[in-house]
Amino acid sequence: MKRYTNSKQTFRILCLFLVFCAFGGILTACGKRAIRSEPELFWPQPPEQARIKFLKTISSSDDVEEKGFWDRFKAFLFDESSVARLVKPYAVFAAPNGRIYVADSGWRKVLVFDEAGKQFSMIGVDGPGALAGPLGVAVDNEGRVYVTDTVLRKALVYDAQGKHLFDMGDMNLLERPVGIALNNELKRVYIVDTRKHKAFVFDFSGKFLFEFGERGSGDGAFNFPANLFIDGAGHIYVTDMNFRVQIFDADGKFISKFGSVGTGFGQFSLPKGVGVDSEGHIYVVDARFNNVQIFEPSGRLLLFFGEFGGRKGQFWLPAGLSIDNQDRIYVADQYNHRINVFQYLQASESEAPGSAVTPLVPDEAPAKFQFFGGKTPVTPSEPPAQETETLPAGASNPEAGSSSLEEGESSTQ
């Protein structure tokens, strides 16, 4: 009995010691962060007027969930950590309700970060709404969630709580659905199919309406389209491996285009996510340049930000992009396993009208973009080469089985 009592007391003393050590470590870490605070990042750099500001990254459930000290200590003590980390985020959507939805091809689920509610959840875990290869996500004004799945070859629709409602499209219609965008006024869902080189349009109930596009390089044609966006006027912006952005009206009628293949200003090597801010600037992610380029509606390049790397404001094979109603820009940073968040800074009242973004002057930036891997862009007539699926250490699929989604086209990497 005495030996048991001593062991129990020893265990209590050890626990108290660990508590004090952990508390001291927290204080020390806080002190170090205060001392080693990093400078804020802006683009362009002074003396030019800043237009883009780096805000933060989102990489795990810890970034939104509220946990007390004792919860964290208990998890540490008994090795019961429940932190869910992004593995390979491809698409991101900033919903009107403040939630951030991430289609993660490593998890094979949609991860939901609710910063206001300080909660984290997943969609498509099991049951009839279980996901297998999500690569696109969008949310309507009622909170319904629309997810494209390249393995199941359809889109799945969920309510605001993540309950599966119904499917949209099937294997007879879709082959590799990737990008998805919504027109809330017309209650339409637009899905681009990478392998069929088309856009398919449904209503909010899942009824197929029409399709547009075909494979080619002419106006209105596509070559492995992967991402799209719909602005407030209903205009549709589509990126593809013709190395351009095409703009259509709500019925799929071609309006305009810009972009070409190359490494110069305003050119593309692997265009991915696309979006438009409140002032009409068009943002295009380039996965090989590891940056985001900003254009006027006419296609004139205004600014670019980002570069290859793992520090804040840098990218490693970025993909999807979303812009919320406060002009915060969310970029899925695949191989850094995170979402990078930036802020577009509007012109102040003291600035002249029309000075929202000052166009780049060639002397102020490199003559050409540098991109990771030393790859050269392919010609529009060639299918994109397959990207290497080598992930950094610790980035393995959290589920058993292969992490590959049979991503044969680099346009969906």
Side-chain angles (χ1 to χ4, degrees):
M1 178 65 72
K2 186 175 182 181
R3 182 180 300 174
Y4 172 76
T5 303
N6 290 338
S7 298
K8 196 172 182 180
Q9 289 176 343
T10 302
F11 179 74
R12 287 177 176 173
I13 293 172
L14 177 61
C15 286
L16 288 173
F17 175 75
L18 289 173
V19 169
F20 285 116
C21 287
F23 186 71
I26 291 173
L27 292 177
T28 302
C30 291
K32 287 181 179 179
R33 279 196 293 268
I35 295 172
R36 299 179 182 179
S37 59
E38 297 183 35
E40 294 183 318
L41 288 180
F42 295 93
W43 293 265
Q45 295 181 354
E48 299 296 329
Q49 179 65 44
R51 295 307 177 194
I52 300 294
K53 176 183 179 180
F54 174 81
L55 295 181
K56 60 182 178 180
T57 63
I58 300 173
S59 61
S60 75
S61 56
D62 260 359
D63 293 325
V64 294
E65 284 188 313
E66 186 175 35
K67 294 182 179 179
F69 170 77
W70 289 109
D71 291 329
R72 297 182 185 276
F73 175 69
K74 181 181 177 182
F76 170 79
L77 185 62
F78 297 103
D79 194 23
E80 296 177 350
S81 176
S82 59
V83 177
R85 303 184 185 279
L86 291 173
V87 176
K88 193 181 177 187
Y90 182 84
V92 58
F93 188 88
N97 58 16
R99 296 175 180 173
I100 309 303
Y101 295 79
V102 181
D104 192 304
S105 63
W107 275 101
R108 301 174 188 263
K109 298 175 181 65
V110 171
L111 281 61
V112 185
F113 299 85
D114 185 352
E115 294 183 290
K118 297 181 179 180
Q119 294 181 339
F120 169 83
S121 60
M122 291 187 183
I123 293 176
V125 176
D126 52 25
L131 295 165
L135 283 184
V137 61
V139 182
D140 68 21
N141 289 341
E142 302 300 320
R144 288 183 294 268
V145 185
Y146 303 74
V147 183
T148 54
D149 193 301
T150 61
V151 174
L152 301 178
R153 294 168 61 174
K154 62 184 178 181
L156 295 85
V157 185
Y158 307 83
D159 66 14
Q161 286 70 48
K163 179 183 177 181
H164 177 250
L165 299 175
F166 58 89
D167 297 338
M168 187 174 293
D170 54 35
M171 292 186 177
N172 295 321
L173 182 64
L174 303 174
E175 186 173 351
R176 191 173 178 80
V178 181
I180 185 168
L182 310 177
N183 185 319
N184 283 283
E185 280 194 22
L186 298 179
K187 297 187 181 303
R188 289 180 179 177
V189 181
Y190 296 77
I191 298 173
V192 288
D193 192 303
T194 296
R195 286 187 180 160
K196 286 199 170 182
H197 314 281
K198 292 181 179 181
F200 294 87
V201 187
F202 303 81
D203 65 17
F204 274 11
S205 68
K207 178 184 177 183
F208 173 69
L209 299 177
F210 62 93
E211 64 185 58
F212 62 94
E214 60 182 2
R215 187 168 192 186
S217 58
D219 293 348
F222 299 121
N223 189 36
F224 298 102
N227 295 79
L228 77 163
F229 175 83
I230 298 176
D231 67 15
H235 294 148
I236 308 163
Y237 302 75
V238 183
T239 59
D240 72 351
M241 289 304 291
N242 281 317
F243 311 102
R244 64 188 182 185
V245 175
Q246 289 193 94
I247 305 173
F248 303 83
D249 67 13
D251 295 321
K253 181 181 178 181
F254 174 82
I255 297 176
S256 63
K257 64 183 178 182
F258 66 87
S260 60
V261 61
T263 57
F265 294 140
Q267 293 184 308
F268 301 118
S269 178
L270 188 55
K272 309 289 282 183
V274 58
V276 179
D277 67 21
S278 64
E279 295 185 348
H281 307 122
I282 304 170
Y283 297 66
V284 183
V285 174
D286 196 296
R288 289 205 183 115
F289 294 152
N290 292 291
N291 69 11
V292 179
Q293 300 185 68
I294 308 176
F295 300 85
E296 289 181 338
S298 64
R300 181 190 185 194
L301 178 67
L302 297 173
L303 181 67
F304 65 87
F305 61 92
E307 61 183 1
F308 172 70
R311 292 178 294 184
K312 68 177 188 178
Q314 296 180 328
F315 302 109
W316 187 359
L317 205 70
L321 175 145
S322 181
I323 301 176
D324 67 14
N325 53 17
Q326 298 183 50
D327 281 337
R328 287 179 297 219
I329 307 147
Y330 302 77
V331 183
D333 191 359
Q334 291 189 95
Y335 283 5
N336 282 322
H337 326 296
R338 65 190 183 186
I339 303 297
N340 286 331
V341 187
F342 305 83
Q343 177 71 60
Y344 168 62
L345 305 174
Q346 297 186 0
S348 64
E349 295 181 0
S350 62
E351 294 179 84
S355 63
V357 177
T358 303
L360 275 173
V361 177
D363 290 342
E364 298 175 356
K368 292 184 178 182
F369 292 129
Q370 301 296 317
F371 52 90
F372 174 67
K375 299 176 182 177
T376 55
V378 299
T379 61
S381 61
E382 297 174 337
Q386 183 173 351
E387 294 288 343
T388 303
E389 286 283 341
T390 303
L391 296 179
S396 58
N397 190 342
E399 296 185 356
S402 172
S403 63
S404 172
L405 290 177
E406 297 180 349
E407 297 176 354
E409 295 85 23
S410 65
S411 56
T412 54
Q413 290 296 299

